[in-house]
Amino acid sequence: MTEFSKSPPMPASLRDEIATHSSAADLERVWHLLDRADGRRDADAPSPTTGERSADALWDRIAAATGIPLATADDAAARSAPTAPPALTLVVSDAYASTAARRVWRRPGASVLLAAAASVAVMTWWGTGNVRVTTPAGRVETVRLRDGSTVVLNGASALQHPRYFRPTWLGGDGRRAVRVQGEAYFRVAKGQTPFVVQTAQAEIRVVGTRFNVQARATDAAAHTDVAVEEGVVQVRALGALAAVDRSVELRANDRVSVRGVADGAASREDDVLQVTQGDPRRDLAWTNGGFAAVDQPLREILASLEAQFGVELSMRDSVAAASVITLYYPERTTIDRILTDLATARGWAMRRTSRGYELRAAP
């Protein structure tokens, strides 16, 4: 016998409406939980899952999960007093509305708890699937997640996240997981569940902190760089790079580089996890319109410049793409200034093209 075998079936019209959603099973489970909380199940029969023998215990569980206290006799006067109209009107199908209407006054405080449970159902429905936010080259965008965390995306970047971080009692996996490509600055809201950022090379795990992630790939290499501004961050290599079976814990001012060749194969341990210390303001310069690169190959620097400033950059063969260069502009700057400084310092020439700039050896 299944957990909800004694509950009346969901109306066909509502079942058909949610059938196309991947969380249809979760929504149906909420429907039956509402029915059990209504007291339709025999109060003397223990729950198949909890052994509880009354609907009161179910109301108590829902109240504990939502944080909304049950109404008591002391609240009678408050309930009889005029109240302001609700700020939110929930529109549901006729079949559901008629059923819900019969449940509202089954127990003191039931209307509040039913509204909370209905909100859970709506959030579960609306939270089905993932949201993917992408930014074109040259554009920065801020994304606010439903847990209160904030993600600032640099140009030519992408963030994939659930519409709603579901708790374990609604079928969630007990963590707040997102995926990023490109570059992003995270301000993670503290919570009881870990916040996990995945890239192609690494998994970053935190509870509440501020850090920067750069996960770009060039023709020569793919890498994930993590710089911590505040808090504690754990970084673990993924995929083929995880052949080196260890993770690192970073604190404020720590930085790690998870690197491998383009096909994902790892070489020596030092090529996979490189931990250093430095000023996180360099890694975060782009959030102020500045730019920074510390001991990076020219090819990687140009790829970052293309993403941040939305221009196309090219090199003649006479320019050493493997040159290791350090640049730092803490405040807002322009691509013209950066390239002019770079060309002057290296003795290169710079010329405009129809889409951007070209670096070449000086004549």
Side-chain angles (χ1 to χ4, degrees):
M1 182 178 293
T2 61
E3 178 182 354
F4 304 116
S5 58
K6 293 185 178 181
S7 301
M10 178 182 289
S13 59
L14 185 57
R15 184 189 297 275
D16 293 342
E17 192 170 354
I18 70 172
T20 58
H21 294 269
S22 60
S23 292
D26 291 337
L27 295 172
E28 187 170 357
R29 181 171 181 269
V30 171
W31 168 270
H32 289 295
L33 283 173
L34 288 172
D35 187 82
R36 290 169 60 194
D38 180 34
R40 291 176 180 271
R41 182 175 59 79
D42 184 358
D44 294 329
S47 164
T49 58
T50 66
E52 294 162 351
R53 294 181 176 273
S54 70
D56 290 348
L58 289 171
W59 282 114
D60 292 338
R61 290 172 57 199
I62 294 175
T66 60
I68 302 175
L70 292 172
T72 64
D74 295 336
D75 300 323
R79 287 199 304 272
S80 63
T83 58
L88 174 67
T89 300
L90 178 64
V91 180
V92 297
S93 65
D94 293 340
Y96 179 78
S98 60
T99 305
R102 292 196 298 270
R103 298 175 178 175
V104 169
W105 299 110
R106 303 285 290 196
R107 172 182 171 91
S111 58
V112 175
L113 288 173
L114 178 59
S119 298
V120 170
V122 172
M123 285 190 294
T124 304
W125 189 346
W126 184 82
T128 302
N130 290 326
V131 175
R132 183 176 174 86
V133 181
T134 60
T135 54
R139 179 177 174 181
V140 174
E141 184 169 337
T142 299
V143 180
R144 292 177 174 82
L145 304 180
R146 296 187 66 82
D147 69 331
S149 299
T150 301
V151 185
V152 184
L153 282 177
N154 203 348
S157 300
L159 174 72
Q160 183 172 302
H161 67 89
R163 289 190 178 94
Y164 172 69
F165 294 119
R166 290 189 295 176
T168 53
W169 60 277
L170 268 182
D173 61 1
R175 63 179 191 169
R176 299 168 287 168
V178 304
R179 188 172 185 87
V180 68
Q181 294 172 292
E183 187 166 22
Y185 171 57
F186 290 85
R187 291 193 291 265
V188 177
K190 293 185 178 180
Q192 295 181 344
T193 57
F195 191 99
V196 178
V197 181
Q198 286 190 331
T199 72
Q201 294 79 35
E203 179 181 272
I204 302 103
R205 192 179 184 90
V206 303
V207 174
T209 184
R210 298 199 298 263
F211 59 97
N212 191 75
V213 176
Q214 186 185 77
R216 299 194 186 278
T218 65
D219 295 338
H223 65 92
T224 294
D225 297 335
V226 182
V228 180
E229 182 183 23
E230 178 185 283
V232 180
V233 172
Q234 184 182 62
V235 180
R236 180 173 64 88
L238 293 179
L241 296 179
V244 178
D245 187 16
R246 72 182 181 97
S247 61
V248 293
E249 185 176 274
L250 308 179
R251 297 182 180 272
N253 301 328
D254 284 347
R255 190 177 191 276
V256 67
S257 182
V258 184
R259 290 183 173 267
V261 296
D263 62 4
S267 55
R268 301 186 315 274
E269 179 175 327
D270 291 342
D271 294 329
V272 178
L273 294 174
Q274 303 172 0
V275 182
T276 59
Q277 284 193 322
D279 188 345
R281 289 178 296 183
R282 291 197 176 193
D283 294 273
L284 300 177
W286 65 270
T287 62
N288 299 321
F291 183 82
V294 180
D295 294 333
Q296 289 187 11
L298 177 61
R299 188 181 301 277
E300 292 184 13
I301 291 176
L302 295 186
S304 296
L305 289 172
E306 285 182 329
Q308 181 171 336
F309 292 96
V311 297
E312 185 176 291
L313 305 176
S314 59
M315 298 175 292
R316 289 286 184 89
D317 294 339
S318 55
V319 174
S323 300
V324 176
I325 297 171
T326 294
L327 298 172
Y328 182 35
Y329 297 85
E331 304 296 337
R332 183 172 299 277
T333 188
T334 64
I335 186 65
D336 297 81
R337 179 185 173 188
I338 295 175
L339 292 179
T340 299
D341 292 346
L342 183 59
T344 301
R346 293 282 168 161
W348 297 331
M350 179 186 72
R351 74 176 184 90
R352 288 183 177 271
T353 65
S354 59
R355 296 185 177 182
Y357 300 86
E358 178 189 72
L359 292 174
R360 54 189 174 84

